[in-house]
Amino acid sequence: MSAISGIAAAYGPFDPLEGLRMLDRLTHRGPDGQGVRTFDHAWLGHRLLAIVDFDAGLQPLSDPDGTRLLVGDGEVYNYRRLRRELERRGHVFRTRTDHESVFHLLEADGLDALSRLWGWFAFVGATADGGFFAARDTIGISPLYWTGPGDTVVFGSELKAFDPDRRPDVEPFPPGHVWTPDEGLREFRSLPEVEPVIAAAASEPEAEPSDDVLAMIRERLIAAVERLMETDVPVGSLLSGGLDSSIVTAIAARHMHRQGRQLPTFAVGLVDSDDLRKARQVAAELGTDHHERVYTDDELIDWVPEVIRVIESFDPQLVHSSVPNLLVSKMAARSVKVVLIGEGADELFAGYDYYSKIKDEKDLHEELLETIRGLHVGGLQRVDRVAGATGLEARTPFLDLDVVELGLSLPAQWKLSHGGRMEKWLLRKAFTGWLPERVLWRPKAQFGEGTGARDALGEYYASTVSPEEFEAQRGVIDPPLRSPEELAYYRLFERELTGIDPRNLVGRFAEW
């Protein structure tokens, strides 16, 4: 199976040396190999990080005649079923990779078949007769950027991949869309429609979720976790001790215990930080093989410039969480290739504090939907970039499409925080008995806060900008920078990513 990899591609006149420079800047995403193929109208390049079938996973993929090419990033989880179907239809496979199933599926059924892919991915393909396409998964878990339609359209997995003179024109490629030169940009799969699956709940505002609803939530997430653990390489879990990572870890630990194995877990924080204490408690309760990365304030501060270069963002909340995330990922990468994380639960079950200020269920649902649509320039940017920088693959069970579709279809009234209800109470009720009560009903803390990173970084970097500098420079982008600390990070962003216009590329959290 493929994993995090690096894509560089172009449609139209293009200097191959520029493509090679792009691949060089993506080496961290794919240290296991590089491949390049060209047609008169297209250039496709790829950096590989292999999870299975190491020898046969090199790309671009090609048919025997060399008339069709494909490069990809990410994983397609239903590839085995697609492969069996395609083999019955006469297709002959040469590797065990998931991306070869995509290659044959698109050859057989065209771009409409993209809607059948289940997973996270970015693909670029070309044919010798002038055909070309680029596509990205529905949530935007796999990154993809482009310079937009023109004489030459250039694609890359990260902002830093592009040459400086192209960077002012770079935009995120929209999730759930496919682009071809002939048809332009079109959506192939959207987020699910807002239709509650429990009709009675929609008609009875005071109705409580039934045991069947809670079981459905639980079963969908369990299935997603267990599906994401299907791999030939070691799997672990990043454990903060908060609700989301603890639930994922509890499911994974039970699954491994049934196989007679122990789940490796990894935690990070300052000495005696809240997250380390909580993670220790959860690991002891679940019987995991627990590891800790303890850092100092000075380490946090020193890592910030590198982290901003890695995550390609200056948002304070993202920086606060990304520094510890990078350090714990470096530790985890010495033991495992894949880690499970809790990203996405807050967006599906209304976990952030500012959601509690929303009193109308329709308004809450629209806000959740908008937040999920923006994940690809927010939290998922941290998930992907940190994993890509450390040779890990981070898997997100809460963002499995089965879980997302169920989460968005549940009435938003069950997600409102009111009448003493704690945030994410619906998710907590669904997993009663899976975790100790003191863990299950522990109030949420942001990852950067629980690890001690927020206070340490905020105090230091705010001190590097005077009040006069902040007032003079906070309007350099729109909306304006919100604090001296954010201005300090913005300066580092400009230094590390010369030429990037952040207005449409960098998501900024509503709270931090």
Side-chain angles (χ1 to χ4, degrees):
M1 187 177 286
S2 304
I4 285 179
S5 299
I7 290 173
Y11 173 79
F14 186 67
D15 181 356
L17 293 179
E18 180 179 348
L20 293 175
R21 289 194 298 270
M22 293 180 71
L23 288 180
D24 284 345
R25 299 184 193 111
L26 295 172
T27 300
H28 57 282
R29 293 187 69 88
D32 295 327
Q34 174 175 304
V36 172
R37 294 287 296 274
T38 63
F39 291 132
D40 290 341
H41 66 289
W43 187 97
L44 274 67
H46 187 261
R47 295 286 326 187
L48 173 71
L49 173 65
I51 293 296
V52 304
D53 208 4
F54 301 94
D55 295 331
L58 288 175
Q59 298 186 20
L61 295 173
S62 172
D63 59 1
D65 298 330
T67 60
R68 307 177 68 87
L69 302 175
L70 182 77
V71 291
D73 173 28
E75 294 193 23
V76 175
Y77 296 120
N78 60 338
Y79 79 99
R80 291 185 180 90
R81 179 169 56 79
L82 295 173
R83 178 181 179 130
R84 289 193 294 269
E85 172 191 320
L86 289 159
E87 286 177 330
R88 288 194 298 269
R89 294 165 66 180
H91 288 258
V92 178
F93 284 73
R94 292 178 288 172
T95 75
R96 293 187 295 125
T97 66
D98 56 324
H99 287 188
E100 190 180 3
S101 291
V102 177
F103 182 86
H104 286 281
L105 181 68
L106 298 181
E107 180 183 23
D109 298 336
L111 295 177
D112 287 341
L114 287 166
S115 63
R116 298 185 60 194
L117 303 182
W118 209 255
W120 52 281
F121 55 83
F123 289 113
V124 179
T127 57
D129 60 2
F132 188 94
F133 83 93
R136 189 181 185 190
D137 70 78
T138 308
I139 307 294
I141 298 175
S142 279
L144 189 63
Y145 296 92
W146 66 332
T147 56
D151 291 339
T152 298
V153 188
V154 183
F155 301 82
S157 293
E158 296 184 5
L159 297 173
K160 66 180 73 69
F162 293 84
D163 274 4
D165 63 334
R166 291 202 189 270
R167 290 179 180 178
D169 301 320
V170 173
E171 300 175 357
F173 191 89
H177 284 71
V178 60
W179 179 83
T180 64
D182 295 333
E183 296 185 351
L185 198 62
R186 65 178 175 88
E187 191 173 48
F188 66 84
R189 187 188 181 103
S190 61
L191 288 172
E193 294 295 323
V194 186
E195 292 294 336
V197 293
I198 315 298
S203 61
E204 299 177 22
E206 301 304 320
E208 292 286 303
S210 66
D211 289 342
D212 288 342
V213 171
L214 299 177
M216 191 185 309
I217 295 169
R218 191 165 53 248
E219 289 163 7
R220 287 281 180 97
L221 189 59
I222 291 170
V225 170
E226 294 182 352
R227 181 161 53 244
L228 297 185
M229 295 181 73
E230 294 177 6
T231 178
D232 294 345
V233 298
V235 179
S237 180
L238 298 189
L239 177 62
S240 71
L243 178 71
D244 310 334
S245 67
S246 295
I247 287 175
V248 168
T249 299
I251 297 169
R254 284 195 184 192
H255 183 66
M256 290 194 74
H257 282 321
R258 288 197 297 269
Q259 300 172 1
R261 296 184 294 156
Q262 196 175 23
L263 176 74
T265 53
F266 306 92
V268 65
L270 293 167
V271 173
D272 292 328
S273 62
D274 197 34
D275 271 16
L276 278 184
R277 289 195 300 270
K278 291 174 181 175
R280 242 174 255 144
Q281 294 169 7
V282 174
E285 292 279 355
L286 298 177
T288 69
D289 177 18
H290 193 57
H291 309 264
E292 294 181 350
R293 169 65 159 94
V294 180
Y295 49 65
T296 65
D297 286 357
D298 287 343
E299 274 189 286
L300 287 175
I301 291 165
D302 290 345
W303 273 100
V304 166
E306 171 65 9
V307 163
I308 288 175
R309 188 192 70 81
V310 167
I311 66 172
E312 303 181 331
S313 175
F314 56 86
D315 178 82
Q317 182 168 312
L318 212 58
V319 174
H320 296 161
S321 61
S322 295
V323 179
N325 192 204
L326 180 67
L327 295 177
V328 74
S329 295
K330 285 179 175 290
M331 175 182 68
R334 294 195 289 268
S335 305
V336 299
K337 270 279 196 180
V338 172
V339 288
L340 302 171
I341 61 174
E343 197 76 27
D346 289 316
E347 291 77 10
L348 286 177
F349 294 96
Y352 294 126
D353 183 59
Y354 78 94
Y355 292 140
S356 66
K357 300 176 176 64
I358 302 173
K359 305 305 180 186
D360 179 79
E361 61 183 280
K362 182 178 179 181
D363 291 343
L364 177 59
H365 183 89
E366 289 303 318
E367 184 63 29
L368 294 174
L369 201 56
E370 190 63 25
T371 307
I372 291 170
R373 288 184 180 129
L375 271 173
H376 69 290
V377 291
L380 286 176
Q381 198 160 313
R382 181 200 71 230
V383 170
D384 171 80
R385 301 301 192 281
V386 169
T390 55
L392 273 180
E393 182 194 335
R395 297 187 177 182
T396 53
F398 281 104
L399 294 177
D400 180 277
L401 280 179
D402 275 346
V403 179
V404 171
E405 290 190 342
L406 174 61
L408 288 177
S409 67
L410 294 169
Q413 69 195 44
W414 291 342
K415 304 174 188 179
L416 291 168
S417 298
H418 60 79
R421 280 180 173 170
M422 185 178 290
E423 95 290 334
K424 290 187 288 194
W425 71 275
L426 181 60
L427 182 62
R428 297 173 195 271
K429 282 180 67 71
F431 280 89
T432 297
W434 282 72
L435 293 167
E437 290 291 299
R438 67 180 183 279
V439 175
L440 192 66
W441 295 99
R442 179 184 290 147
K444 178 180 176 59
Q446 300 293 353
F447 181 53
E449 179 183 358
T451 60
R454 186 185 69 173
D455 293 342
L457 295 178
E459 181 179 341
Y460 174 81
Y461 279 96
S463 73
T464 66
V465 176
S466 70
E468 294 77 18
E469 288 175 308
F470 176 60
E471 288 305 319
Q473 298 178 34
R474 67 188 304 259
V476 68
I477 63 168
D478 185 33
L481 298 166
R482 296 164 288 184
S483 70
E485 179 192 4
E486 191 171 27
L487 175 55
Y489 298 151
Y490 180 77
R491 289 172 172 175
L492 291 171
F493 177 90
E494 283 195 308
R495 187 186 79 186
E496 299 292 336
L497 293 148
T498 305
I500 291 294
D501 182 350
R503 285 174 294 181
N504 298 318
L505 294 167
V506 177
R508 296 163 71 187
F509 282 82
E511 62 177 52
W512 53 281

